[in-house]
Amino acid sequence: MMNSSGDEAIEGAVTLGLLAAWALHDLEELATVPGWWRRNLPALRERYPGVPEAVWRRAGSADGREFAVAVGAMAAVVASASVAGRLTGGRSATYQTALNAFGLHGLVHLAQAGLVRGYTPGAATSPLIVVPFTLWARSRLRRAGVLRATRPRDLALGLGFAGAATVAAHTVARRLTKA
């Protein structure tokens, strides 16, 4: 698709690439999350006593099947945003918000790894895939003249989008696997 001035096309690698990059990142999480929580929950509880017990119970209660269903639910969200981006040549506010959310999500993974002073699920692919893809896709959108200006409110919206989608995906997964 061409932008309004016709100088730069937004190819599928920019828009549908969000789904591909997300899938590679979430393969790491699928492979590591359940076992990582089992091994690290006791030490995290001890290191961070101010975290409410309900948070620790919830984190420790998700099994691999439930987590996989949550990843599937999130795949639907990311796929929808990616398709919206493709259909609009990258102009879709939903796509751009999801792209920002993806990049911020990667930074959150890196911050989590820093807080625990070691590996956390998602920390390996965040600097290798998540952050570089986000920066690359944003640069392509910028060159094409379709990237919306990013204000602090947009960053908050991106984090909110990621958080709300995560909570919704896990809620759906819990209901489907506990039924």
Side-chain angles (χ1 to χ4, degrees):
M1 294 195 165
M2 298 295 250
N3 72 2
S4 55
S5 64
D7 7 72
E8 175 112 17
I10 294 298
E11 67 274 5
V14 173
T15 54
L16 300 177
L18 173 60
L19 179 59
W22 173 86
L24 290 171
H25 171 69
D26 268 43
L27 283 174
E28 176 193 0
E29 291 184 337
L30 278 168
T32 59
V33 164
W36 187 90
W37 272 115
R38 275 191 307 278
R39 288 186 307 278
N40 291 282
L41 192 57
L44 290 171
R45 272 188 165 123
E46 189 174 311
R47 186 181 294 167
Y48 300 105
V51 173
E53 184 58 31
V55 172
W56 297 128
R57 272 195 312 274
R58 176 66 181 104
S61 69
D63 62 13
R65 187 170 148 251
E66 180 182 322
F67 186 75
V69 172
V71 167
M74 185 64 84
V77 172
V78 177
S80 296
S82 296
V83 168
R86 183 70 181 141
L87 293 174
T88 62
R91 290 174 180 82
S92 163
T94 300
Y95 164 73
Q96 290 191 23
T97 298
L99 179 64
N100 290 339
F102 184 60
L104 291 168
H105 168 79
L107 295 177
V108 168
H109 277 302
L110 295 175
Q112 289 169 335
L115 281 173
V116 303
R117 298 178 194 108
Y119 175 80
T120 57
T125 52
S126 287
L128 299 174
I129 296 171
V130 177
V131 174
F133 174 81
T134 301
L135 293 173
W136 174 80
R138 286 179 52 82
S139 74
R140 296 303 304 251
L141 295 170
R142 185 178 301 106
R143 274 201 309 249
V146 300
L147 182 66
R148 296 182 342 249
T150 305
R151 301 170 304 255
R153 153 181 105 90
D154 298 315
L155 297 177
L157 184 61
L159 283 173
F161 180 88
T166 300
V167 168
H170 283 277
T171 300
V172 165
R174 177 147 293 208
R175 288 191 177 147
L176 290 175
T177 58
K178 303 299 183 205

